[in-house]
């Protein structure tokens, strides 16, 4: 980046509002255009999908880029009724909600215990969770499949909750643990004096204070389970129990020529995450980058 | 070190608090790992005959051209993706903190948006973008007057690049937000005094801002390397590893061997090697970056 600051410091301080030199005006223009184009590339596919989803197949064949002649929801109706997409949608939703509830409870308790008390095996738990964060989860597809097959846990409604909870826990626990660290211990000390047990302190005093971090964990966990693909692909075989991402990959075969229908299915599938993103974009950004910024 | 004034809960409460997390973690994470290790020393295709074969699976694996091909592809994709995601994420974040840029909040929100989408959805959307007859990319290039447009996903010399682009595109926002968080936490006074000393914008970026966010850079590299080494979803959706084996990655090859060819013990030994390779490469990356320290 070029800069116009060649004047001595004193002069610059006297005249801070001096007009931009033409070279910096060009720099400003170039930078703004570049970043603008990139932002546009991030949103353009979504706008194009939305526009395509309102088109008929014939209309789409005529031009893939022109705006739809009229807004009609035929594709959406087709996807939701004929293609049984509603079932996949509710499957994903139920699994995500069960995962979410489990993760919130387990991570709060574990995160609280790890941050407040020293006990035997504490470091072991840390190492275990850290490992869970960095290993390639795909290496668990086969052994988990074989293990679940052995005990009859494949193709159940509860099946996917196990891997989803397990692989969401490390992040959730670390986030909650470091948040609880920032809450002064006096909060519970006074409660203990009044005769509160550890559970009462945790659920009556600490948990309400943790609301900000719990909502971060909530959106992150929901997002992860809603979007998860490989475990859904491997552990579920019954069509009635399939999740949205798996169903989408099957659609491409059945609807190869019918792009507007495929695109409508894609739009429906991203509604929950886009909705969450619209409401909690700050929290999602913070949660996903929390570990990294601390270094 | 925080003082531990709080009374440690009774053994029973401790057990009650930590047991559920440890149980599910052992069941889904620890046990399958040991199961894999054990299985990799046997010859087993799912039937009742289970023969101990020692290191045979590993020896077969080390001379399996297809496995090494998948490793090479994964490694190439990881190099491309790390350069793309961390590099562009860094550049965009530096541009966003300059005084030149407008609509900062809008850019942040839009560039981060693809991060929350499912990789399956992103893969399918880019499948449409790359499509031969109905693709947006071909339409765009031919409107610029380009003929001779290559077959994006079917060209063996191009495919590693074309599958990397959607992955890079999707997660630039994640790294941008990480770096923005670090850049914004640099005290204003440091930059101001540097400005008074007569440095220009370029010097301030390279000599002050970049060294100060080095810990974040390291964390970003670690997340990016370990995350990309397990790449699966996008490749499954875009090319299924083709043409031939040109875009086959380790995870996808492991999936094919385990679930299409049903070579369970061979797949298990591959899982083990995958974990070792991923941890080793991630470790080497950290080691290499750790050499230079800025304070």
């Amino acid at each position: 980046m070029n800069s116009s600051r060649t004047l001595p410091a004193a002069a610059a301080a006297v005249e801070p509002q001096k007009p931009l030199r033409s070279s910096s005006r060009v720099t400003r223009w170039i930078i703004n255009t570049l970043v603008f184009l990139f932002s546009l590339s991030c949103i353009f596919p979504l706008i194009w999908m939305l526009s395509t989803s309102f088109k008929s197949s014939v209309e789409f064949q005529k031009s893939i880029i022109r705006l739809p002649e009229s807004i009609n929801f035929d594709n959406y109706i087709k996807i939701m009724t004929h293609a049984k997409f509603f079932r996949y949608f509710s499957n994903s939703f139920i699994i995500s909600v069960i995962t979410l509830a489990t993760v919130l409870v387990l991570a709060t308790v574990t995160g609280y215990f790890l941050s407040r008390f020293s006990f035997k095996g504490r470091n072991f738990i840390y190492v275990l969770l850290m490992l869970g964060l960095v290993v390639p989860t795909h290496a668990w597809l086969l052994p988990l499949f074989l293990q679940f097959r052995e005990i009859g846990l494949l193709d159940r409604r509860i099946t996917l909750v196990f891997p989803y909870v397990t692989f969401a826990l490390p992040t959730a626990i670390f986030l909650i643990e470091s948040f609880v660290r920032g809450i002064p211990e006096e909060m519970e000390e006074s409660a203990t004096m009044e005769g509160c047990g550890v559970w009462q302190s945790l659920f009556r005093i600490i948990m309400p204070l943790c609301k900000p971090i719990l909502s971060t964990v909530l959106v992150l966990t929901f997002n992860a389970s809603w979007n998860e693909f490989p475990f859904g692909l491997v552990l579920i075989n019954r069509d009635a129990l399939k999740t949205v991402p798996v169903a989408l990959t099957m659609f491409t075969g059945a609807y190869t020529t019918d792009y507007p229908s495929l695109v409508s299915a894609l739009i429906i599938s991203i509604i929950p995450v886009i909705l969450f993103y619209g409401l909690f974009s700050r929290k999602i950004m913070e949660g996903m980058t929390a570990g990294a910024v601390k270094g | 070190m925080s003082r531990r004034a709080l009374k440690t809960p009774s053994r029973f409460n401790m057990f009650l608090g930590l047991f559920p997390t440890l149980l599910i973690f052992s069941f889904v994470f620890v046990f399958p790992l040991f199961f894999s290790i054990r299985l990799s020393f046997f010859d087993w295709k799912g039937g009742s005959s289970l023969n101990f074969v020692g290191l045979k699976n590993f020896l077969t694996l080390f001379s399996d051209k297809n496995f090494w091909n998948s490793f090479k592809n994964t490694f190439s994709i990881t190099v491309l993706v790390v350069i793309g995601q961390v590099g562009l994420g860094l550049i965009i974040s530096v541009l966003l903190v300059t005084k030149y840029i407008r609509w900062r909040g809008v850019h942040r929100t839009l560039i981060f948006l693809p991060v929350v989408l499912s990789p399956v959805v992103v893969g399918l959307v880019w499948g449409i973008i790359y499509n031969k007859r109905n693709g947006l990319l071909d339409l765009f290039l031919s409107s610029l007057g380009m003929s001779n447009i290559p077959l994006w996903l079917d060209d063996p010399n191009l495919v590693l690049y074309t599958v990397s682009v959607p992955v890079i595109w999707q997660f630039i926002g994640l790294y941008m937000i990480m770096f923005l968080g670090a850049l914004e936490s640099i005290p204003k006074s440091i930059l101001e005094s540097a400005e008074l000393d007569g440095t220009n914008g370029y010097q301030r970026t390279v000599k002050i801002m970049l060294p100060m966010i080095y810990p974040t850079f390291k964390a970003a590299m670690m997340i990016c390397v370990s995350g990309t080494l397990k790449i699966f979803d996008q490749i499954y959706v875009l090319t299924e590893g083709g043409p031939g084996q040109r875009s086959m990655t380790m995870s996808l090859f492991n999936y094919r061997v385990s679930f299409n060819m049903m070579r369970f013990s061979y797949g298990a030994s591959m899982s083990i090697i995958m974990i070792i390779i991923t941890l080793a490469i991630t470790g080497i990356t950290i080691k290499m970056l750790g050499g230079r320290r800025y304070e």
Side-chain angles (χ1 to χ4, degrees), chain B residues 133-146:
Chain B
R133 266 181 50 236
N134 300 313
L136 284 171
L137 188 59
D138 286 14
L139 182 82
F140 177 70
L141 290 177
S142 56
S143 74
L144 289 179
M146 209 177 130

Side-chain angles (χ1 to χ4, degrees), chain B residues 181-192:
Chain B
L183 287 170
E184 281 164 359
S185 69
I186 296 176
K188 284 274 176 300
S189 57
I190 294 182
L191 294 175
E192 275 162 13

